Amino acid sequence: MLYWSKILKLGLLLISLLFSLRSVDDHPNVLFVIADDWSWLHAGTYGDSIVGTPTINRIADEGVRFEHAYVASPSCTPSRASILTGQWFWRLEQGANLYGPLLPEHAVFPDLLEESGYHVGFTRKGWGPGNLGARTRNPAGDRYASLENFLEARPGDRPFMFWFGTHDPHRAYEPGSGAQSGIDLDGINVPAAFPDVPEVRSDIADYYFEVQRIDRELSELLDLLEKAGELDQTLIVITSDNGMPFPRAKSMLYDLGTRVPLIMRLPGLIAPGRVVTDMVSLTDLAPTFLALAGLDQPEAMTGQSLVPLLRSRESGLVDPTRTAVYFGKERHVPSQESPDGGGYPMRAIRTHDYLYIRNFRPDRWPGGTPNEERAFMSGAWYSDTDAGPTKHVMIAGRHDNPANAALYDLAFGKRPGEELYDLNADPEQLYNLALDPAYAAPKRTLWNQLLATLNATGDPRVLGTGDFFDLQPYTGGVVRRPNE
């Protein structure tokens, strides 16, 4: 019996070695699952014991989990445009703003895959929100009702790329849905940037409820692929376009806004159970998909293929050059005071040790003006932050005590031109050290590194033409008070 057990183990080892030699020329299918407003913290595989994500956890166990994945911009339109083009958002002209168009001269990976023979499509939220303009279809591809319909329309056995854009966990939420579903409110780890009060715990639970719905729908997608015999020939990618829709998160450059889950599975190419700590950007996804399809990366793409990290058998820091990522924000909503219809322009560099943020217009309100009667857009009220119980509790309670006042200021108050956070001492990024003389050297080094990257990639904000972003038309709505 022991003899046959050893033979079986040897056989499994040989099979594993053969699969490890699988070439990227095999042109795998791609199932790209992108959530809408989901921070990296909130999945079991990332350490959250309250939110139930068994399917996501399974994909991580059978593939690779990236600990440090960041969006290019924590706002839907520019983030999705950067994913599709593999470029920093500041290179995409009007596409750098929420509701701005993605101009057709910027090539997108679904088109490039389709031209090479892939069957391409999406369901629910693809690129957007925004006006398609001169484009004849959504940059994510042709729209389908479901993955099942997409597979039925697949010509022969062509490889495919399917974009599943869930609207979860975007607001609005059904109040109390999380608690009613059985989520343990007392067990929730409330971020230090929020007041720890029952209304906030319930709001986070409602957000968790929608994260759990993503997990259930992912399970259904995997079942469909398995029935079609395509599961193990498909690269599964799970991520989000930006962080949770809460104050100091979505539309902000702190980790709650920019750091997102990134999990991938492809047996034979990706060794199971790996955790990679390299700093990666979602702009790296387009070059990755093209490389796996055997296509060259267009010169305009600033992202770098993740294929070397996927093929590695190692965990931890795999590529010692991947020690920094860059991101930023232009106009989310025209939420400043009249007559200023601009945004809150920021750029940042994130390393394992520091977060450095450059605020180009510290005279403006980072979360939108609190002075509703003087707002540039009628009805705008702190409108760079989505409306919800946590936002309203923080604003209503700002005068109650010094602790609430401090949290309000962190989320909505004006900020200096520079911010620097020591992530080893302050992982939740609450204490700005930019004026501390002890941190003058790392601050200078980080700014120089950020500035060099912005210059090299043609960022209008450092080339003297950044007002272009503020002057573009805006076609979206605004966040209003709950009783409006």
Side-chain angles (χ1 to χ4, degrees):
M1 188 68 179
L2 182 61
Y3 171 79
W4 288 110
S5 175
K6 289 181 178 179
I7 291 294
L8 178 61
K9 288 181 180 179
L10 180 60
L12 291 173
L13 177 61
L14 289 172
I15 291 171
S16 175
L17 289 172
L18 286 172
F19 271 119
S20 72
L21 298 175
R22 176 178 180 157
S23 169
V24 294
D25 294 332
D26 286 338
H27 304 175
N29 309 314
V30 177
L31 173 63
F32 181 58
V33 178
I34 179 168
D36 199 357
D37 300 358
W38 178 31
S39 293
W40 95 103
L41 281 168
H42 305 127
T45 187
Y46 282 98
D48 192 315
S49 61
I50 302 302
V51 62
T53 56
T55 309
I56 294 166
N57 300 348
R58 169 199 163 187
I59 296 301
D61 290 342
E62 296 176 358
V64 58
R65 182 181 83 234
F66 289 87
E67 283 289 297
H68 285 283
Y70 298 82
V71 299
S73 183
S75 175
C76 293
T77 310
S79 176
R80 290 165 185 264
S82 290
I83 291 169
L84 285 157
T85 63
Q87 296 195 53
W88 300 121
F89 77 101
W90 54 77
R91 295 165 57 88
L92 302 180
E93 300 158 281
Q94 295 98 319
N97 289 339
L98 185 69
Y99 281 96
L102 179 53
L103 301 179
E105 51 262 39
H106 297 298
V108 294
F109 76 79
D111 289 350
L112 298 173
L113 291 175
E114 188 174 58
E115 290 167 8
S116 75
Y118 269 67
H119 177 47
V120 168
F122 81 103
T123 194
R124 303 191 196 176
K125 187 172 182 178
W127 166 85
N131 189 327
L132 289 176
R135 290 184 179 271
T136 58
R137 68 177 187 181
N138 192 288
D142 290 327
R143 182 184 292 274
Y144 289 83
S146 65
L147 173 60
E148 187 172 20
N149 294 142
F150 171 79
L151 293 176
E152 288 172 354
R154 178 187 181 194
D157 60 353
R158 285 169 58 181
F160 63 80
M161 190 292 299
F162 188 69
W163 173 302
F164 183 84
T166 173
H167 291 279
D168 291 332
H170 195 289
R171 293 187 185 272
Y173 306 142
E174 181 181 342
S177 55
Q180 291 165 17
S181 74
I183 292 173
D184 177 13
L185 270 63
D186 292 335
I188 290 173
N189 182 21
V190 177
F194 308 158
D196 190 352
V197 295
E199 296 92 337
V200 172
R201 286 184 172 270
S202 181
D203 197 21
I204 295 173
D206 295 346
Y207 157 80
Y208 279 8
F209 177 78
E210 297 204 356
V211 172
Q212 294 182 165
R213 188 159 58 200
I214 297 170
D215 193 85
R216 292 195 300 273
E217 292 192 321
L218 175 62
S219 178
E220 294 168 2
L221 296 175
L222 299 183
D223 287 344
L224 281 171
L225 289 178
E226 191 162 31
K227 289 176 183 175
E230 296 287 357
L231 179 58
D232 288 347
Q233 285 72 49
T234 302
L235 173 68
I236 310 294
V237 181
I238 306 166
T239 191
S240 177
D241 60 356
N242 49 248
M244 63 194 302
F246 284 68
R248 204 173 164 86
K250 177 182 176 180
S251 94
M252 301 297 165
L253 301 191
Y254 313 107
D255 277 12
L256 284 176
T258 59
R259 190 173 174 184
V260 292
L262 181 59
I263 303 164
M264 301 188 191
R265 175 193 188 272
L266 180 58
L269 179 67
I270 301 173
R274 296 172 57 223
V275 178
V276 170
T277 59
D278 297 50
M279 307 294 284
V280 302
S281 167
L282 295 197
T283 61
D284 297 332
L285 292 175
T288 302
F289 299 154
L290 296 181
L292 289 170
L295 301 177
D296 292 332
Q297 176 175 329
E299 187 176 343
M301 286 190 177
T302 52
Q304 303 174 51
S305 170
L306 298 173
V307 169
L309 302 186
L310 300 182
R311 298 186 72 173
S312 171
R313 316 296 286 182
E314 300 176 12
S315 287
L317 183 62
V318 178
D319 180 350
T321 69
R322 283 185 173 270
T323 55
V325 289
Y326 308 88
F327 38 79
K329 173 188 169 185
E330 279 298 330
R331 191 182 64 206
H332 189 64
V333 172
S335 60
Q336 303 305 316
E337 295 180 8
S338 185
D340 187 351
Y344 192 80
M346 303 180 278
R347 302 291 186 269
I349 176 173
R350 172 67 155 84
T351 68
H352 289 98
D353 296 321
Y354 294 103
L355 170 65
Y356 172 85
I357 301 173
R358 189 76 166 206
N359 297 311
F360 290 97
R361 290 296 303 270
D363 56 305
R364 295 177 177 172
W365 295 97
T369 176
N371 303 310
E372 186 176 358
E373 68 283 356
R374 298 205 300 269
F376 172 82
M377 181 175 288
S378 176
W381 180 71
Y382 298 95
S383 54
D384 265 17
T385 300
D386 288 7
T390 300
K391 171 181 174 178
H392 292 278
V393 162
M394 292 179 70
I395 293 170
R398 64 190 185 278
H399 302 306
D400 290 353
N401 56 60
N404 284 3
L407 292 178
Y408 167 86
D409 195 52
L410 282 173
F412 303 108
K414 288 187 176 180
R415 297 168 189 165
E418 294 180 288
E419 298 176 65
L420 178 68
Y421 300 93
D422 181 341
L423 303 177
N424 295 304
D426 177 26
E428 297 203 56
Q429 300 142 32
L430 302 176
Y431 304 102
N432 181 13
L433 302 172
L435 296 180
D436 188 332
Y439 287 86
K443 183 181 75 170
R444 182 171 56 251
T445 298
L446 291 163
W447 167 235
N448 288 339
Q449 187 175 342
L450 174 60
L451 182 61
T453 298
L454 299 179
N455 275 314
T457 55
D459 185 349
R461 275 293 163 197
V462 298
L463 298 179
T465 56
D467 287 347
F468 165 87
F469 297 119
D470 292 335
L471 299 175
Q472 302 311 304
Y474 176 77
T475 60
V478 296
V479 178
R480 298 179 179 270
R481 296 176 185 267
N483 60 351
E484 293 182 330

